[in-house]
Amino acid sequence: MKKRDVPQDKSNLESTQSKELCYAVNEKGEYTTAHSSGWEPKTIALDNAIAEINARIENARQNVIRNKTSPLAYYMEVHKMDVPILASYVGMWQWRVKRHFKPKVFAKLSNKILQKYADVFEITIEELKEIKHGD
Amino acid sequence: MEINFTHHQSAHCENGVVSNLMKHNGFNVSEPMVFGIGSGLLYCYLPFLKVNHAPAITYRAMPGAIFKRFAKRVGVKIQHEKFKSPAKAKARLDQNLKNNNPVGLQVGVYNLVYFPDEYRFHFNAHNLVVYGKEGDHYLISDPVMETVTTLTEKQLEKVRFAKGALAPKGHIYYPKAFPEKLDLEKAIIKGIKHTCKDMLAPVPIIGVKGIKMVARLIRKWPKKHGVKKANHYLGQIVRMQEEIGTGGGGFRYIFAAFLQESSKILKNEKLAELSEEMTVIGDLWRDFALDASRIYRNRKAKMDAYNDVASQLETIADKERAFFKTLRKAV
């Protein structure tokens, strides 16, 4: 890439007022570094991934409202986790975490176990039992 | 306490940490040099590892491998430690800072509060340097950031003990013994040979063959998974390729910079020519990312569009095969 072609597109980096460093060739053909504020294809890909996640969060939220799954599944999506990641944070087997996604099983969980989940999501047990339905 | 440490921004975190720690200890080694000698360039398709619900592709060596190979090849000894207890991990960090020794840490990205939200995923092999502490705040030199930053004790503990794949377990590392003079010539040749071997490996998912395999899969995705999932997968490829300034094109440019620098050190003209060739290949990777991103932006993409980008990838694979064969002979 030529140094003058280093992309200066709008991106999410703006929020931190930071720029990325990349390697590019100057007029003499020598490698040098340049700052980039972002590149559109990358931003589109990232936005795409975020949209996917938001769709999964919404889907999980609906499932909680319809009592098809416990709020754990919703909070897992909010924290961009999947079952293996959540299981390793709470130090339980994956099948156990999956079981806790069943509303009936979830309702009977002890406070000790609920506290483990609440700590991972940095919320209280009360918040863990309720998800915000309104917004 | 603050150690007199100079922060240099880099394109990639592991190269950056190594280069910055070496510079701090009086050895002027550039980021591309670290990347090349550490044989950082790789391509590997990992269908069994899912990232954000899509198969993963890595464009670089395993986390930690670059530093390990670099150190071994130039004769630097590194101290590594992992911990079960956060308290012990913190004590060891504080002890090093007290001894005026900046250290590298492996951390999880998800809780790095100074990153934009959109960049915070559960990826556990990010690297940064801690170079001091002021009150409750650790002074952080994160090589991909333009300037230095800070994290509180609690925030740092969280990222050091992130869970999931590649959990860092408080991983702390720093160079502790150096040779009188770095023997770069031999190290460069070893680094190059290793990268050629990796990229030309006779394994279906690694190197040039891995690129070909992904190209074949891209042709099949829309029929096999439907357009929505195919687009998600394709988007994921671009993201893994281009996130934070590295990936497909970015790593090729760093490698090209390494070849250019090496050409002078080894007085080998052929390497300078190959550097130019690698730059052209890097541009092709970027063209691929651009065209792939167009597909999932206009959701109703035609089948042809998938075949087009797949063909682009195949061209890249052919060019890289020829490139690494020539490079192998050039050193």
Side-chain angles (χ1 to χ4, degrees):
Chain A
M1 181 170 48
K2 299 266 163 47
K3 195 170 176 182
R4 58 167 189 271
D5 296 333
V6 169
Q8 304 297 344
D9 301 342
K10 266 180 173 283
S11 80
N12 320 76
L13 285 172
E14 254 178 18
S15 61
T16 53
Q17 286 153 12
S18 186
K19 285 184 177 180
E20 291 171 6
L21 190 80
C22 41
Y23 286 78
V25 181
N26 67 15
E27 289 80 18
K28 290 184 208 151
E30 292 157 348
Y31 259 97
T32 172
T33 56
H35 279 102
S36 164
S37 61
W39 192 38
E40 205 195 349
K42 202 154 88 172
T43 307
I44 297 171
L46 190 57
D47 290 348
N48 195 57
I50 300 290
E52 263 309 301
I53 289 168
N54 287 339
R56 273 202 296 273
I57 294 174
E58 180 54 26
N59 185 33
R61 199 173 74 95
Q62 293 299 333
N63 282 340
V64 176
I65 293 171
R66 280 190 240 117
N67 205 31
K68 276 163 86 180
T69 179
S70 78
L72 287 182
Y74 165 79
Y75 284 112
M76 177 181 84
E77 296 293 355
V78 168
H79 287 265
K80 298 182 194 162
M81 292 179 175
D82 56 18
V83 174
I85 294 175
L86 179 57
S88 68
Y89 267 99
V90 289
M92 290 185 229
W93 295 100
Q94 288 184 36
W95 62 264
R96 238 184 122 195
V97 171
K98 273 189 210 157
R99 214 174 139 258
H100 296 164
F101 285 180
K102 293 182 182 168
K104 269 187 186 163
V105 179
F106 180 78
K108 286 180 199 157
L109 286 182
S110 70
N111 271 350
K112 201 180 144 197
I113 289 192
L114 288 174
Q115 191 63 53
K116 273 193 185 178
Y117 285 112
D119 286 346
V120 169
F121 300 135
E122 294 187 312
I123 50 178
T124 62
I125 292 182
E126 286 68 41
E127 284 168 318
L128 185 67
K129 286 179 181 168
E130 276 298 316
I131 62 163
K132 285 178 207 145
H133 290 187
D135 51 332
Chain B
M1 77 201 112
E2 181 179 344
I3 300 166
N4 187 10
F5 181 83
T6 317
H7 172 82
H8 305 270
Q9 192 184 10
S10 67
H12 180 252
C13 65
E14 188 170 338
N15 306 328
V17 164
V18 180
S19 169
N20 283 346
L21 287 177
M22 288 299 288
K23 281 176 184 159
H24 177 79
N25 285 291
F27 296 93
N28 194 9
V29 187
S30 70
E31 175 184 9
M33 236 337 120
V34 172
F35 184 68
I37 292 178
S39 305
L41 195 71
L42 181 69
Y43 186 95
C44 192
Y45 171 63
L46 304 161
F48 39 85
L49 182 72
K50 297 271 177 186
V51 176
N52 194 21
H53 305 262
I57 294 171
T58 179
Y59 292 83
R60 46 163 293 197
M62 269 289 286
I66 298 177
F67 197 172
K68 224 184 210 163
R69 293 171 186 160
F70 171 82
K72 203 176 152 204
R73 286 169 189 164
V74 299
V76 172
K77 285 215 166 64
I78 350 169
Q79 178 78 33
H80 281 276
E81 253 185 299
K82 287 190 178 184
F83 303 88
K84 279 202 177 120
S85 132
K88 275 190 189 149
K90 178 178 174 294
R92 188 57 48 86
L93 171 63
D94 291 348
Q95 188 192 341
N96 271 298
L97 296 178
K98 208 172 264 171
N99 292 339
N100 223 8
N101 186 31
V103 293
L105 295 182
Q106 184 193 335
V107 297
V109 172
Y110 185 69
N111 282 303
L112 280 180
V113 286
Y114 54 77
F115 271 4
D117 267 347
E118 296 84 353
Y119 282 99
R120 288 168 57 189
F121 286 90
H122 293 273
F123 172 68
N124 283 335
H126 187 59
N127 293 276
L128 48 78
V129 171
V130 184
Y131 68 97
K133 193 178 180 187
E134 266 168 14
D136 184 31
H137 282 79
Y138 284 101
L139 309 177
I140 309 283
S141 155
D142 187 318
V144 302
M145 302 289 287
E146 253 185 299
T147 52
V148 290
T149 172
T150 63
L151 288 173
T152 65
E153 284 185 7
K154 218 183 139 200
Q155 287 166 341
L156 188 65
E157 182 180 310
K158 251 188 143 167
V159 294
R160 292 184 77 188
F161 284 88
K163 299 280 171 51
L166 304 171
K169 300 193 176 98
H171 188 181
I172 182 171
Y173 57 88
Y174 53 89
K176 65 168 183 181
F178 303 90
E180 291 242 322
K181 192 186 161 284
L182 296 186
D183 184 5
L184 288 183
E185 286 89 346
K186 270 190 193 154
I188 288 170
I189 292 170
K190 271 195 181 157
I192 289 179
K193 293 234 165 183
H194 192 138
T195 300
C196 292
K197 202 174 122 204
D198 280 351
M199 290 304 290
L200 298 169
V203 182
I205 56 168
I206 296 176
V208 171
K209 288 201 159 198
I211 303 175
K212 287 235 165 180
M213 182 174 207
V214 170
R216 276 199 303 278
L217 288 170
I218 290 176
R219 288 186 204 278
K220 286 185 199 154
W221 278 344
K223 252 190 207 151
K224 196 174 166 198
H225 299 300
V227 170
K228 191 167 175 276
K229 204 163 175 186
N231 278 348
H232 174 57
Y233 280 15
L234 204 55
Q236 184 82 347
I237 289 185
V238 174
R239 250 192 71 221
M240 280 184 292
Q241 189 178 314
E242 298 299 331
E243 196 123 301
I244 325 261
T246 47
F251 279 145
R252 263 81 193 160
Y253 299 138
I254 302 178
F255 195 72
F258 159 70
L259 291 178
Q260 195 175 66
E261 209 181 322
S262 301
S263 147
K264 285 180 199 132
I265 296 173
L266 297 177
K267 302 186 184 66
N268 181 339
E269 258 310 302
K270 187 78 190 156
L271 291 185
E273 279 169 37
L274 283 166
S275 164
E276 281 174 32
E277 211 169 294
M278 184 92 283
T279 306
V280 174
I281 294 175
D283 290 343
L284 291 177
W285 278 102
R286 284 179 76 83
D287 292 343
F288 163 77
L290 184 65
D291 291 343
S293 73
R294 285 196 181 126
I295 294 183
Y296 53 78
R297 193 178 44 192
N298 328 317
R299 286 159 198 274
K300 282 174 281 175
K302 292 175 202 143
M303 283 300 182
D304 283 356
Y306 287 93
N307 285 329
D308 275 353
V309 289
S311 303
Q312 271 175 292
L313 260 192
E314 274 158 1
T315 309
I316 289 174
D318 290 339
K319 280 202 185 308
E320 292 207 345
R321 178 183 291 130
F323 175 89
F324 286 106
K325 279 187 173 165
T326 320
L327 179 60
R328 193 165 57 182
K329 285 187 198 133
V331 290

